[in-house]
Amino acid sequence: MNFRTDLAIELAQQLGDTVSQDYQSVQQKEDGIAVSHTKILTPKGEKQFGKPAGDYITVEVVPFSDSVTDSAREAEVIARQIKFLLPEQDGLVLVVGLGNLSVTPDALGPRVIDGILATRHLAGEWERVAKKDRLRPVAAIAPGVLGQTGIETSEIIACLCEKIKPSCVIIIDALAARSLKRLGRTVQLSNTGISPGSGAMNRRRELSRETLGAPVISMGVPTVADGVTVGCDLLAVEGVSGEEAARTLFAPEGQSMLVTPKEIDLLIDRASKILAMAINRALQPSLTQEELSFFVS
């Protein structure tokens, strides 16, 4: 069975090898936090993963719904991964939060935008008051979803990019995982773009360098798992095998089912704050976490 997942690390684990001529997968520890770097190198690797060639970084954190004691350390580690993916040139960064604020498992992107320090509109006087020589210009937007606006998200963002011409676009969205153990405790970053709605299995037109005219960094946290995938795992425990049996039980009449943790409200709240802090730290390295918290509060 081709299990449904947005996470490159899970796909790499299914393939087995850590190094090949088509892709590489390396694990390491940063400040005690597990960080995995998967790099897809060739068209064959793209076919194996079902993803474009490029870098995919996975940060494994304490479950967002369980603890906030390590949030500052986790934000710093995630910020370093963002810096690694950021293009070398300086300039305006557009931060986009994808998702539907009215649907909790899909609300990660808009909630992250609430915590982003937008600076594009600020002049030198603010920098003087903040006692900083320079702040990187940042713009932030949560464009909603097609069902709310009647406009494809890709159309909104493409028009905005054409108007303000960012040097880079950072996009945040909820993701889907193959394993329930990864829900709310994995952060994936990539420099290959993203398809809006992927976590909710409602893929729209991709957002990438080719469609937006600027480098794209995508970030996400898995908030849902495919019901059929979960069903196969449960049936295997019970000694029953077969995708068809799982689909009969967990996808009645062909309807797809998503599974999400019962602590999803807490998960989204804490994950969005940590991701926002990480993005702010990566884009405004001259500001401390305390200063950033003050400016966005």
Side-chain angles (χ1 to χ4, degrees):
M1 176 180 176
N2 184 19
F3 290 108
R4 171 77 172 85
T5 180
D6 290 321
L7 302 181
I9 189 173
E10 291 188 327
L11 295 169
Q13 290 170 349
Q14 289 181 28
L15 291 172
D17 296 330
T18 56
V19 179
S20 77
Q21 63 179 1
D22 303 308
Y23 68 92
Q24 298 175 349
S25 186
V26 179
Q27 291 79 40
Q28 62 185 23
K29 288 276 189 178
E30 292 192 24
D31 293 343
I33 295 174
V35 178
S36 302
H37 190 165
T38 300
K39 191 175 186 67
I40 301 175
L41 303 169
T42 66
K44 182 179 178 181
E46 291 181 319
K47 186 175 181 180
Q48 289 176 309
F49 278 79
K51 292 181 176 294
D55 297 283
Y56 297 83
I57 301 174
T58 303
V59 181
E60 299 183 43
V61 300
V62 175
F64 289 120
S65 58
D66 289 355
S67 174
V68 295
T69 56
D70 292 327
S71 58
R73 182 166 57 100
E74 291 167 349
E76 287 296 327
V77 172
I78 297 169
R80 288 202 289 269
Q81 314 315 313
I82 298 172
K83 290 179 182 178
F84 172 78
L85 296 175
L86 278 171
E88 292 184 3
Q89 72 268 25
D90 210 350
L92 171 66
V93 175
L94 172 63
V95 184
V96 180
L98 301 180
N100 189 338
L101 193 57
S102 301
V103 180
T104 305
D106 195 36
L108 178 67
R111 291 290 298 275
V112 169
I113 295 302
D114 289 340
I116 296 298
L117 178 61
T119 59
R120 177 175 178 262
H121 60 299
L122 300 174
E125 180 65 18
W126 191 91
E127 294 176 357
R128 184 190 64 78
V129 172
K131 297 182 180 180
K132 300 299 174 184
D133 294 334
R134 187 175 181 281
L135 292 175
R136 184 167 191 167
V138 176
I141 184 174
V145 295
L146 178 63
Q148 296 171 324
T149 64
I151 308 172
E152 285 280 1
T153 304
S154 58
E155 295 175 335
I156 295 175
I157 301 172
C159 290
L160 188 55
C161 287
E162 184 178 353
K163 180 67 176 178
I164 68 174
K165 293 180 171 46
S167 65
C168 179
V169 182
I170 298 177
I171 300 178
I172 308 99
D173 198 8
L175 304 175
R178 181 255 185 274
S179 171
L180 292 176
K181 295 180 181 180
R182 290 199 175 276
L183 297 184
R185 62 177 305 158
T186 301
V187 180
Q188 177 172 278
L189 305 92
S190 175
N191 58 4
T192 64
I194 194 171
S195 295
S198 59
M201 302 179 194
N202 181 29
R203 290 183 180 271
R204 313 303 302 178
R205 191 179 308 167
E206 74 170 31
L207 300 169
S208 64
R209 185 169 196 155
E210 289 68 31
T211 61
L212 300 182
V216 175
I217 297 173
S218 63
M219 299 178 60
V221 173
T223 61
V224 296
D226 178 25
V228 173
T229 300
V230 175
C232 285
D233 289 343
L234 294 175
L235 290 175
V237 171
E238 296 296 327
V240 180
S241 61
E243 179 181 350
E244 187 172 343
R247 292 197 179 279
T248 300
L249 292 173
F250 297 95
E253 300 180 0
Q255 298 177 356
S256 61
M257 181 184 298
L258 298 177
V259 179
T260 195
K262 65 183 178 63
E263 306 90 355
I264 188 61
D265 296 84
L266 190 58
L267 188 162
I268 292 295
D269 181 60
R270 291 178 175 172
S272 61
K273 290 176 180 177
I274 292 175
L275 292 193
M277 178 59 70
I279 293 170
N280 288 333
R281 285 288 291 146
L283 299 182
Q284 310 295 353
S286 64
L287 298 179
T288 65
Q289 287 198 10
E290 291 74 18
E291 289 171 326
L292 287 167
S293 296
F294 174 78
F295 290 131
V296 300
S297 62

